[in-house]
Structure formats: C-alpha cells, structure tokens
Amino acid sequence: MSTRATKADLENEIKELRRALERAERKNALSGKDLSILDNINVTYFELDLNGSLTCFNDNLCRDLGYTREELMGMNFRAYTPPERIDEVRGFYTEVYRTGRPGTFINSHIIRKDGSLMVAEISVGLLRGATGEPIGYSGVGRDITAQTLAMKDLKASEERYRLLAENSLDIIWTTTLDGHVTFVSPSITTHLGYSPQEALGMSLVDLLEPDSLTSVQSMIAQELAKPPEKRILSRMIETRLRAKDGSPRDVEVNATWLRDDEGNVIGLQGSTRDISERKQAAQALKDSEEKYHDILENMAEAYLENDLDGTLTFVNKATCDLLGYDRDVLVGMNYRQYTAPEKAKAIYAIYHRIYTTGQPEMIEDHEVMRRDGAVITLQLYARLLRDRQGQPRGFSVLAWDVTERKKAEQALKKSEERYRSILESMQEAYYEVDLRGSFTFFNSTAVKGLGYTSDEMMHMNYTAFVDEDNARRVYETFHRVFLSGEPVIGFEWELITKAGVAMKVESAVFLSRDEHGRPCGFRGIVRDIGQRKQAEEALRQSEEKYRSILETMEESYFELDLKGNYTFFNDALCRDHGYPRSALMGMNYRVYTSPETAWQAYRTFNEIYRTGEAKSLYAQEIIRPDGSRRHIEMSVGPIKDAAGKVIGFRGVGRDVTERNKAQQALKESEERFRDLAMLLPESVFEIDAAGRFTFVNRISLERFGYTEEEVYRGLGILDVLVPEDHARALANARLVDLGENTGLNEYTVRRKDGTVFPALVSTTCIYRDGRLAGRRGFLIDVSEKKLIEEQLMRAQKMEAIGTLAGGIAHDFNNLLMGILGNVSLLLMRMDEADPVSDRLRNIEEYVQRGSDLTKQLLGFARGGKYEVKPTDLADFTRKSSQMFGRTKKEVRIHHKAPDGLWTVEV
C-alpha cells in the first residue's frame, strides 16, 4: 500500500532538484585556471553551508587543523570552535547573512585535531545561488597564532615594566643631557612633594642642593668629554636633593646613559632612593643561636643534620620522638643503621646527586625502622649544607611521617583499579557529569565514540556535542531525574562527534549523590544505536564565484607573469598600492619599489621559479604614488601549466604597516621599563600563580646568591622565606587576592647559603584575560635599620642611668659636705690630745673618700669626664687605671678649667 506524498514533500524535492541542477551547471562552467587557485594560494579557503558545515576547502585548511580531507568534509564549525566562543562565532555569521556584506573576524580561536589552539584572522562573505538567494558562506583565513602570542607577550612585558616604574617606591626618572626631566614616576610626590606634572621640565639646578649640583655636573661633563665608545656611565652615587618645601633629602642615585636606537647618548635615566631615614636608623639581625635552637626544638617536623658520610650530627626533639631513640644515641648514628640495605642505596644515590648538583630534593616513600622494630614511611626534604668557605660539609633533612596516609592511598588505589577495570571492559560508554552537565569522569569507550581526547573531554559540557533541540531534550531529562530522583532508562537522542557526524544513541540516566545524600550530578550509560552519516561530496564553483571570493577578501590577491608584470589582481591590491586598476594592469613591481626592495623581490621570485615551491610571509616595502611607504606581508607561489612548468606567480598580501609601528613602539616601551627595573637598588620580582619566580632584577641575584638559571628553573617565593613565615605569607597573599591592601609586611628571608635577614615585602596581583596570572612586588632589606635602632635604644638606656647617677651624686655630696663642715668645727675647738680628736679625723677621712666616690658618679654622668685638683692629678690617674681597667695612655687630660681644676676623660 503506497503513501501519497504531500504538497510540502513535492516542493522540497523540487528545490533539491534545482540545487543539484545549479551545482551541475557550475561544475561544467569551471575553467582550468580556477581548479588550481584554491590549492596554490598560501591562505586557507573554505566554504560553509547555512548550518555552518564545511562543503569546500583547500589543502591549507587540512594542514592548519591537522585533519584529513575526509574528516573535515561536512564537519560543523562547533566541532573545532571552543564551547565558550560558539555563540560569538554564530553571531558573526548571522551578521554577514543579515547584512549581505563581507566581514572580518580578527581573533578567531580554533581547536586543532591534536587539541592545540590556533588563532586565525578570517574574512567571510555570502555565497549566493543562481537566483541570488544565500546558499552558504565563503571565506579565507590566516594563521596569526605566532603573531598573537608575540604581541601578547610583548604587551605583558611592557605592562610589567610600566607598572614597576609607576608603583616603584623609588623615584624612576629620565632627563635630557642638559638635565631637564622628561619622565618621572609618581613616587616623587612621596619623597620630594612635587607632582609628576610639576617635575616634568624641571632642571637639575631646581632639584639639587648647590654643593651636590656642582659634583653631578662635573661627573656628567667628564663622561661626555670621553669618546662615545668609552662613555660607560653606570654608577651608584649619594647626593642631596631639595624638596618642594625647601628641606634637603639625602638620596642614593643609580644612573646610566639614555640612548636612542642608534646608540647615541640623548640623556640620562635611573632611579633615586630617599636614604635619609636609613642614615638615621636601620636594624640588626635578630636571630641568635638560642632562638634558632628553640625553633627547631618546637617544630612538629623532624629535623636532622648529618655529615658527608651519613652520620647524624644534630637532631631535634621531633626526630627522637619519630625514631624512638634518645638524642645522645641518635647523634653519632649512621642513617644505614635504621634503613634497610636497598633503601640505604637509594638514599646514598640521592645524597650523591644533591652533593653533585647542589640542588635540594624531595624524597618520597622512604622507609625506616624505629627502635621498637616498627617500619614507618617518611617524606624527606634534603639539601646540601656548606661551611663558611662554601665547601660541602653535610646534609640537612626535614622529615614527615606519612605512614597512615600511604596506607589509605594504597587501599583507595586498589579500589579504584577494580572499579576502573570493570568500566574499561564495558562496550557501552559510561559517563559522570556534575549538575551543570560537565564531564567529571568517563571510560575509554566514551572517548572513542565522540572522537575527542581524554584531556579535551574532561570538564566539557554536554551542550558542546548536541544541537539546540537535543540540548533541550537532554536538559529536560536531567531535570526530571533531579526532581524525582528516579532514573530514566532508554532515553534516545542525537549527539554530534568531534568530526561533525550525527550519531543516534540510547542512554540511561541516574542521579548521583554526595556523602551527605545531596544531589551532586548524574551518571549513566550511552549506547550507539545508529550509523555515522557519510560525508557529502562538494562541487567546485564557477569562475564567477571565485572572482567574487577574491573581491570580497580583505587581503590583496595578484598574479604576475615571469617578468613581474601584473596580469590579474583584486580591488584590495589597488587599495593597498594606491593605484587605480587601469594603471596597475601590466605594471611591473619595479615601478613602486626601491632598487634594494626590487632586487630582494627578484631573488625571491627567482628562488620560487627554480624550486617550484611557495614562499610564505615574504615582506616587501612599496612606495605609493603620493610618496608614502607601506609594508606588505605576502605569501607568493608559482603558477604552473599543465606540464608543471612555472609560467608566472600568484600571491596574497596584507598591509602590516600600522601593525609594525605598534609592535616597534611596544618593543621600545618594554625595553625602557625593563632597563629601569634592572637599575632599581632593591629587589623587584614577579611570580606566577604557582609562586615560581618569572622575573627578578639584578640586585636580587646578588642579594640572594642565586644565578638566573637557578631562579628560572623553578625557584619559588616560599623557597626564600623561612618555614615559620610560610603560613603568614600565604594568608597575606589571599588577602591581596581579595583586593585588600596589606601594605609592607616584614618577613625573615633566606639566602642560597642559608643565611637569613629581615625584609619588608609588598606585592600586588597580576591579571591577564581577567584571571589571576601571578604577583609582582618589592623586597627591601632592613637589616642595617634594625641594628642602628637597637644601638640607639642601648645608648638611651645608658643616658638615663647617667642622669640618675648625677642626681644621686649631687644630693649625696651635699650631705657629705655638711658632715665634713661639722667635723672641722669640732676639731678647731678640741685639743689635739683629746682621744676623740682621732675619731673625728677618721670621720673626716671617710667623708673625703665618700666625696671622691661622688666625683666618680658625676664623672660617669658626664660621660667619663672628671674634674681633679692639680695636686690630685697623678693619684687620680693611677686610681682610674686600676678602677676602669685603662692604661695611662687611655686616660686623657684636657685643658685647665677657670676654677683651677683639670678635666680628665677616662
């Protein structure tokens, strides 16, 4: 029994017959010249139907994306477009369809077959049928991945050095040769009171103190008097500046020559640091052996040191608790005594490698035997110890007991292996997704079925391989399972593989719950119930179609004969060269190029003629009729006849003049700020999101004792902080991530040789593409400041004691003088034969000795200066030498006072 066709079915069949007829007509109208254009131009050409599936393309698209022609044919643009950019690409094509005008997508991201990301510049126009209705899109593309990455790196580098200069605590500046300021960082306001706008144009005469101005001008004049090749001004000097309020500022200046691109000296550049406060106070190293010992003894981790033979020379309390030995037993024991022979050999090999390379290492799963016979598993961090001469003297080791953790990991591994073995042996695809529908787990069958790699599929959302209708149906099914908690069995839908092939599948969906019983995602099984569609074969287009393609291109297309005369070109070439079409036709390339450029072009064309191979990214400078010069980046290939003989040249060009100018300006800016950063006298650094150093300036290498190779080989910010500061540093970093200004934070930092010093650190976040990419900051050594502060406090205490001693001495001396006066009066009225007179003379002698003591206290209060009668000078000098432990040469006698007393300084 037959089924009668409806009217709509007949109309659809008629439309398909008309399209087939049009394709056949275009195929018959193709010329021999057009058959070779697509595969010989060095740009990517492609055509899409109105659904975004590839219908025609040249070999360059296969090369760029890494697919075979069979894989690409019929592939939808969603298969090679990142999921987050599909709506953007769809909107671009919709705009071209709506307006009918060609468009350019400058920053298109495309996923290659191997998973790598390509950045392309694409020009797209509408394809129309014989009756003028849109039937698809045609476009050309160019791989600009390398250019994009280079521009991104250059921009990031320029931004880094610009921000370093703008956020520097020191004053960054440049001047002309006559001393006028041409650039100054905002920090000038903090130190001198001028705004950057006020400082621009000011002279050294306005900024330097008169005595400093003379010496600076003399130094510059001496350097300029030398031959250019011997002008090597790059030095650190101390001088004095005058602030806006007229007050002087002691500063440290690091200056060097500012040169133009030809190396000519055009001015000065450098940094200036206010050292007024540093001259008044600094600090001393506060770590003592007692504190160091206390830290080690209270550590939760085991810390031990051994000599080069492996004999323990130091252990902390945690080591004794870990191994079960007393300290006096452990010290002197060799690590081989509590390590199995095979493990001891492995430890020896690691120690030997650390000794050879000087690099610390993390030792995983090291088994040792406790005193009670129990075997425990440790994680060790070992590094080389050196003596004061830098010679290796042993090893230091931090140890953590990971025995229980290893047992738990082993049990989990066995369970996971059993579970994975079952899933990998299944013929059906097994999947797990979160509540948003993004993959969290899948077996190998799922990977093979969809055609993606495991890395590509991980965290991919289901919407990436379904159309809008199927995406809606899948969402409704997931939502029903979420609300009811009941699984759905036998759900049929259609997915699209990475190759763009539609595939009918049957799926079972179950709700996943977390350990608290709350829904956390979905899991299920998918079975293939359909066959893959066969790729449609594309027809080649007519000469009129290809001409339309070339005229809609943003790039210029041209063809030359063997003499270099134009035989064909599009309107873009006329626009780039500035000539009308009538003037360009038949024109030779020598007309619009300089002799040097023409000779270079001749050699390029000659090489293409000899080898028969295309030349990619060939740069050429052209001269327009108005005399302006433009830089054209071209790809040129040979035109061959049926016998394979080269009969001319064809190519595609793009005006890159403005791009080159922008790159040059960015490069010059990056170099200027990089040089300024390197001149800073304090440590400047950048770290990535993982905390590894990506940039340090020269002073950092000198201060910490590392080489550039050691820093950029993976040295992290925590490697230069003492362990007890790690938690505080991470907490401050999290506050900075949240947008808080933590200011200057003091940490104890560690050099490569193990010595430590206090420092102030300030950091800020680095964002790229809206994401945290790392941090940059400054580190200031404050050792000298702390030392001077401690000395100042000690001097203030002594001054207070001296003041107290002086007050007591004055009061006590007054009491003694009263006693002495009364005794003298009694002696005057008493007979010398009276027995009491001897007692009174003894009192008088004792009072005199007390008076001498008060003089010593007064001398101490005066800072060691004493007033002595001339008759008592010799006796005082002898007594002072004995009392204060001074030689007679160290007791200085000064001028005679008006009252007849001598000033003696001890």
Side-chain angles (χ1 to χ4, degrees):
M1 183 174 179
S2 62
T3 301
R4 186 175 179 180
T6 65
K7 181 180 179 181
D9 294 334
L10 293 175
E11 289 176 349
N12 290 334
E13 290 181 4
I14 292 172
K15 289 182 180 179
E16 288 297 323
L17 289 173
R18 285 178 177 173
R19 292 191 181 108
L21 182 60
E22 289 172 358
R23 289 195 293 267
E25 289 174 352
R26 287 196 297 271
K27 179 177 181 182
N28 294 332
L30 292 173
S31 68
K33 171 182 172 182
D34 293 326
L35 293 173
S36 63
I37 287 179
L38 288 179
D39 289 328
N40 283 284
I41 62 177
N42 284 303
V43 293
T44 299
Y45 173 77
F46 61 90
E47 293 179 6
L48 305 171
D49 60 20
L50 293 178
N51 291 325
S53 299
L54 288 168
T55 60
C56 179
F57 46 86
N58 62 356
D59 290 340
N60 290 341
L61 185 65
C62 301
R63 180 198 63 208
D64 289 345
L65 297 187
Y67 291 97
T68 64
R69 181 173 290 275
E70 291 72 17
E71 291 174 323
L72 278 176
M73 190 60 69
M75 182 181 290
N76 193 272
F77 76 91
R78 296 180 181 85
Y80 50 80
T81 302
E84 67 274 9
R85 306 202 69 169
I86 288 178
D87 290 340
E88 183 181 4
V89 176
R90 184 190 296 113
F92 168 71
Y93 281 107
T94 301
E95 182 67 15
V96 173
Y97 181 88
R98 185 183 66 81
T99 62
R101 295 193 298 271
T104 300
F105 200 163
I106 297 179
N107 194 18
S108 176
H109 286 63
I110 298 172
I111 303 174
R112 297 187 177 96
K113 183 177 180 179
D114 61 5
S116 61
L117 193 66
M118 180 181 79
V119 183
E121 185 174 341
I122 299 174
S123 299
V124 176
L126 270 179
L127 282 176
R128 298 182 183 273
T131 59
E133 77 277 8
I135 62 173
Y137 306 92
S138 66
V140 292
R142 177 188 297 274
D143 184 354
I144 61 171
T145 306
Q147 300 170 7
T148 302
L149 292 177
M151 285 290 289
K152 185 175 181 181
D153 291 342
L154 195 59
K155 183 177 180 181
S157 181
E158 190 273 343
E159 178 187 5
R160 173 202 305 163
Y161 292 114
R162 176 176 58 79
L163 291 176
L164 285 177
E166 291 179 354
N167 294 285
S168 172
L169 297 178
D170 298 330
I171 304 173
I172 309 300
W173 51 264
T174 61
T175 69
T176 60
L177 280 177
D178 58 0
H180 287 84
V181 177
T182 57
F183 169 81
V184 68
S185 62
S187 54
I188 190 173
T189 304
T190 303
H191 297 294
L192 297 182
Y194 295 102
S195 68
Q197 293 75 20
E198 290 176 325
L200 288 178
M202 293 183 69
S203 172
L204 294 179
V205 177
D206 305 320
L207 295 171
L208 285 168
E209 289 286 293
D211 54 344
S212 300
L213 176 65
T214 303
S215 62
V216 171
Q217 289 177 333
S218 174
M219 179 186 67
I220 296 174
Q222 290 175 4
E223 290 294 330
L224 289 175
K226 297 178 182 179
E229 65 275 7
K230 294 186 177 180
R231 296 174 183 171
I232 55 172
L233 176 64
S234 180
R235 62 180 65 179
M236 185 81 71
I237 62 172
E238 288 189 10
T239 186
R240 303 192 80 190
L241 294 179
R242 186 167 52 245
K244 185 176 181 179
D245 60 5
S247 60
R249 294 286 191 275
D250 292 308
V251 296
E252 190 175 70
V253 179
N254 191 5
T256 187
W257 294 120
L258 180 63
R259 301 178 185 270
D260 58 19
D261 293 339
E262 286 75 28
N264 300 316
V265 175
I266 61 172
L268 293 167
Q269 63 181 355
S271 62
T272 299
R273 164 165 297 181
D274 189 340
I275 60 173
S276 302
E277 183 180 355
R278 191 183 75 187
K279 283 192 170 183
Q280 299 172 2
Q283 90 173 41
L285 292 174
K286 61 179 180 180
D287 293 335
S288 64
E289 184 66 23
E290 180 180 355
K291 181 177 180 180
Y292 166 77
H293 184 271
D294 183 63
I295 291 172
L296 290 180
E297 283 302 300
N298 290 282
M299 283 173 55
E301 298 84 5
Y303 175 84
L304 57 97
E305 294 179 1
N306 50 38
D307 60 20
L308 295 177
D309 293 327
T311 301
L312 294 174
T313 58
F314 176 83
V315 294
N316 67 349
K317 183 178 181 298
T319 305
C320 300
D321 296 340
L322 184 66
L323 296 179
Y325 292 94
D326 294 332
R327 191 191 305 270
D328 55 353
V329 176
L330 272 178
V331 174
M333 182 184 293
N334 195 278
Y335 72 92
R336 297 178 181 86
Q337 295 176 246
Y338 52 81
T339 307
E342 62 277 6
K343 294 291 184 179
K345 291 181 180 179
I347 289 294
Y348 173 81
I350 295 173
Y351 277 179
H352 185 264
R353 187 162 59 247
I354 296 173
Y355 177 87
T356 305
T357 64
Q359 299 300 315
E361 288 194 23
M362 186 68 73
I363 306 171
E364 302 285 350
D365 301 337
H366 175 57
E367 294 182 350
V368 299
M369 183 178 294
R370 288 172 47 88
R371 185 176 184 178
D372 59 8
V375 177
I376 59 175
T377 304
L378 304 179
Q379 183 180 19
L380 309 177
Y381 178 81
R383 67 182 185 88
L384 191 64
L385 291 176
R386 300 179 182 273
D387 58 23
R388 294 184 178 180
Q389 289 72 39
Q391 298 300 316
R393 66 176 181 82
F395 306 89
S396 66
V397 180
L398 275 174
W400 299 268
D401 186 358
V402 295
T403 307
E404 296 304 320
R405 189 190 75 188
K406 287 297 177 181
K407 290 179 180 178
E409 289 176 352
Q410 187 65 24
L412 185 62
K413 182 179 179 181
K414 289 181 180 179
S415 176
E416 183 180 0
E417 287 176 353
R418 185 184 309 112
Y419 171 73
R420 185 176 294 275
S421 175
I422 295 172
L423 292 179
E424 293 300 328
S425 63
M426 292 170 53
Q427 295 299 317
E428 295 82 8
Y430 175 83
Y431 69 91
E432 293 179 1
V433 296
D434 58 23
L435 291 176
R436 293 175 296 181
S438 298
F439 280 120
T440 58
F441 180 81
F442 42 81
N443 63 357
S444 59
T445 305
V447 176
K448 295 175 183 177
L450 288 174
Y452 294 91
T453 65
S454 297
D455 291 337
E456 290 173 337
M457 283 187 59
M458 185 58 68
H459 305 303
M460 181 184 289
N461 196 271
Y462 73 94
T463 56
F465 46 84
V466 293
D467 58 23
E468 293 181 359
D469 180 64
N470 280 280
R472 177 184 54 79
R473 295 179 62 234
V474 171
Y475 172 79
E476 291 174 351
T477 303
F478 280 3
H479 189 62
R480 185 164 71 252
V481 172
F482 177 84
L483 293 178
S484 66
E486 297 297 326
V488 172
I489 309 296
F491 167 60
E492 292 186 6
W493 51 295
E494 186 176 85
L495 57 81
I496 301 172
T497 67
K498 183 176 182 179
V501 179
M503 184 169 61
K504 292 281 188 179
V505 295
E506 182 183 74
S507 179
V509 182
F510 299 83
L511 186 64
S512 296
R513 299 180 183 274
D514 61 19
E515 61 271 23
H516 304 292
R518 295 173 297 196
C520 63
F522 306 91
R523 55 188 171 83
I525 296 174
V526 176
R527 181 182 295 107
D528 184 5
I529 60 173
Q531 296 181 348
R532 294 188 177 182
K533 294 182 178 181
Q534 301 296 324
E536 297 179 353
E537 180 179 1
L539 298 176
R540 297 185 177 272
Q541 303 300 314
S542 65
E543 180 178 5
E544 179 181 359
K545 169 186 165 181
Y546 289 113
R547 184 181 298 275
S548 174
I549 293 170
L550 294 177
E551 292 304 334
T552 58
M553 288 172 52
E554 291 293 328
E555 296 86 354
S556 58
Y557 174 81
F558 60 88
E559 294 181 3
L560 305 171
D561 60 21
L562 291 178
K563 294 182 180 180
N565 301 316
Y566 282 115
T567 59
F568 177 79
F569 47 84
N570 62 356
D571 289 341
L573 187 79
C574 302
R575 182 178 65 249
D576 289 346
H577 286 59
Y579 287 94
R581 180 176 291 273
S582 58
L584 269 179
M585 185 58 71
M587 180 184 290
N588 193 275
Y589 66 88
R590 294 181 177 85
V591 174
Y592 55 80
T593 57
S594 64
E596 298 81 5
T597 303
W599 171 244
Q600 182 184 7
Y602 169 78
R603 287 188 298 178
T604 301
F605 290 144
N606 187 49
E607 180 182 352
I608 295 173
Y609 179 81
R610 287 187 295 100
T611 63
E613 297 179 355
K615 185 78 171 180
S616 298
L617 298 181
Y618 159 62
Q620 185 184 68
E621 182 185 69
I622 65 170
I623 304 174
R624 288 181 167 180
D626 60 3
S628 62
R629 296 174 182 263
R630 308 295 292 180
H631 295 279
I632 306 297
E633 188 177 80
M634 297 185 297
S635 297
V636 183
I639 301 176
K640 299 181 181 180
D641 59 15
K645 182 180 178 182
V646 177
I647 60 173
F649 309 95
R650 64 164 54 95
V652 177
R654 177 183 294 274
D655 189 337
V656 295
T657 306
E658 300 305 322
R659 187 192 73 190
N660 290 347
K661 290 180 180 178
Q663 288 178 345
Q664 181 64 26
L666 193 60
K667 180 180 178 182
E668 291 174 357
S669 178
E670 188 270 345
E671 289 177 350
R672 178 170 67 253
F673 287 111
R674 183 180 65 246
D675 292 342
L676 291 174
M678 282 300 181
L679 290 172
L680 289 174
E682 288 296 350
S683 297
V684 179
F685 63 88
E686 286 190 359
I687 57 176
D688 59 19
R692 295 182 294 269
F693 287 107
T694 58
F695 169 80
V696 295
N697 62 351
R698 189 179 300 109
I699 193 67
S700 301
L701 299 176
E702 299 172 359
R703 176 169 290 160
F704 285 88
Y706 289 99
T707 64
E708 287 190 10
E709 179 183 359
E710 291 171 333
V711 170
Y712 299 135
R713 194 162 52 193
L715 186 69
I717 186 67
L718 295 182
D719 295 330
V720 298
L721 294 179
V722 295
E724 53 268 32
D725 280 353
H726 287 184
R728 185 161 56 89
L730 293 173
N732 287 334
R734 285 191 289 271
L735 292 176
V736 174
D737 293 345
L738 296 174
E740 295 190 23
N741 182 10
T742 61
L744 290 172
N745 296 286
E746 183 175 334
Y747 301 102
T748 301
V749 296
R750 180 170 51 195
R751 299 183 180 92
K752 178 183 176 182
D753 61 5
T755 59
V756 296
F757 63 92
L760 296 178
V761 180
S762 176
T763 62
T764 185
C765 293
I766 303 173
Y767 293 97
R768 294 194 178 96
D769 298 330
R771 296 181 178 180
L772 179 66
R775 296 175 178 82
R776 62 170 59 92
F778 299 89
L779 184 148
I780 302 174
D781 183 355
V782 293
S783 304
E784 185 179 348
K785 177 182 176 182
K786 285 191 174 288
L787 176 61
I788 294 178
E789 286 178 349
E790 184 177 330
Q791 293 174 346
L792 180 60
M793 183 179 297
R794 199 176 294 142
Q796 290 173 343
K797 289 182 179 179
M798 293 302 296
E799 182 180 357
I801 293 173
T803 302
L804 177 63
I808 295 173
H810 276 294
D811 294 340
F812 188 59
N813 191 57
N814 290 336
L815 293 173
L816 292 177
M817 290 302 102
I819 297 171
L820 184 62
N822 288 314
V823 170
S824 298
L825 290 173
L826 290 173
L827 286 174
M828 291 174 60
R829 296 179 180 183
M830 186 174 292
D831 189 354
E832 290 185 1
D834 193 327
V836 178
S837 64
D838 292 335
R839 302 285 186 180
L840 292 175
R841 287 188 185 90
N842 287 338
I843 292 173
E844 186 177 33
E845 182 181 353
Y846 294 150
V847 170
Q848 189 63 46
R849 291 180 184 178
S851 178
D852 290 340
L853 289 175
T854 60
K855 290 179 181 179
Q856 292 178 11
L857 287 174
L858 287 172
F860 175 76
R862 298 189 188 104
K865 295 181 180 180
Y866 304 87
E867 293 182 350
V868 183
K869 295 179 180 180
T871 55
D872 297 333
L873 189 58
D875 184 57
F876 180 80
T877 301
R878 177 181 56 79
K879 291 181 178 180
S880 298
S881 301
Q882 296 173 353
M883 183 179 301
F884 297 105
R886 301 288 193 269
T887 63
K888 292 184 177 181
K889 293 182 178 180
E890 293 178 313
V891 178
R892 294 190 293 274
I893 302 174
H894 294 283
H895 60 279
K896 183 177 180 182
D899 57 2
L901 298 177
W902 286 80
T903 300
V904 179
E905 183 176 356
V906 181

